């Protein structure tokens, strides 16, 4: 399952991405927020990450104003590899090299079209494994 969540700073980009998913028959679950009212980003980051870790095929998209807060919070959850991306090169590499399972973006940093491009590259790129698996395993070791 693909989960998406944001605070108020990421709400508008989240809504835009939802319309992109709907138009392209991409199945997703919106975990909130559901209004523009101020909301603390660690809460939505934890909620989304707790869903993502339930299945290794799950992925998440988290958006706050800069993407920084949700990314810091997400990476505190065991099993989460969250990547803050502001271009398609980093989103592609976050999958190929880091096996990122959560994409973080800044709703006040990116335009809607750039956001869609970043999401497209994140969702369409696979982990390369090999030497990168060794490195990801070293990250997992730090968690233990
Ligand atoms: C909220 O104003 C803002 O601080 C939040 O969206 C995010 O940018 C935090 O990193």
């Amino acid at each position: 399952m693909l989960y998406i969540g944001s605070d108020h700073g990421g709400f508008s980009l989240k809504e835009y991405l939802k319309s992109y998913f709907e138009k392209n028959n991409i199945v997703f679950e919106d975990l909130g927020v559901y209004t523009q009212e101020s909301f603390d980003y660690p809460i939505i980051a934890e909620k989304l990450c707790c869903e993502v870790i339930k299945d290794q095929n799950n992925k998440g998209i988290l958006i706050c104003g800069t993407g920084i807060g949700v990314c810091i919070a997400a990476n505190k959850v065991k099993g989460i590899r969250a990547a803050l991306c502001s271009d398609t090169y980093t989103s592609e590499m976050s999958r190929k090299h880091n096996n990122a399972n959560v994409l973080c973006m800044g709703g006040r940093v990116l335009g809607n079209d750039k956001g869609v491009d970043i999401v497209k590259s994140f969702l369409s790129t696979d982990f390369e494994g090999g030497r990168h698996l060794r490195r990801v395993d070293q990250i997992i070791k730090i968690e233990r």
Side-chain angles (χ1 to χ4, degrees):
M1 175 58 73
L2 173 64
Y3 296 98
I4 189 164
S6 77
D7 73 353
H8 54 289
F11 179 77
S12 143
L13 178 56
K14 174 170 73 67
E15 294 305 299
Y16 190 84
L17 290 171
K18 280 167 59 183
S19 59
Y20 165 76
F21 293 150
E22 279 154 10
K23 269 184 219 142
N24 291 279
N25 299 314
I26 297 171
V27 178
F28 69 96
E29 196 174 321
D30 179 8
L31 297 179
V33 296
Y34 305 112
T35 73
Q36 305 246 34
E37 249 175 77
S38 182
F39 191 87
D40 296 338
Y41 61 81
I43 294 169
I44 192 70
E46 184 182 16
K47 181 179 177 186
L48 181 140
C49 291
C50 287
E51 292 304 319
V52 169
I53 54 169
K54 286 180 184 168
D55 187 296
Q56 62 170 8
N57 294 315
N58 286 342
K59 286 194 180 66
I61 298 171
L62 279 170
I63 311 163
C64 65
T66 59
I68 296 170
V70 284
C71 193
I72 292 172
N75 278 310
K76 301 292 180 194
V77 178
K78 195 173 174 182
I80 292 298
R81 290 174 301 282
L84 173 56
C85 300
S86 48
D87 55 63
T88 54
Y89 178 72
T90 46
S91 55
E92 187 186 329
M93 287 303 147
S94 78
R95 292 287 309 131
K96 280 187 174 168
H97 288 192
N98 313 112
N99 201 13
N101 50 10
V102 173
L103 168 67
C104 300
M105 293 185 292
R108 294 174 183 155
V109 178
L110 301 169
N112 288 337
D113 292 341
K114 188 86 180 272
V116 168
D117 287 346
I118 291 169
V119 166
K120 273 192 205 167
S121 83
F122 183 80
L123 296 179
S124 63
T125 308
D126 290 328
F127 181 48
E128 278 182 352
R131 67 185 187 281
H132 304 296
L133 176 61
R134 182 180 72 243
R135 293 162 186 163
V136 169
D137 282 343
Q138 287 165 357
I139 295 173
I140 292 167
K141 243 174 115 183
I142 300 170
E143 283 181 335
R144 290 198 201 112

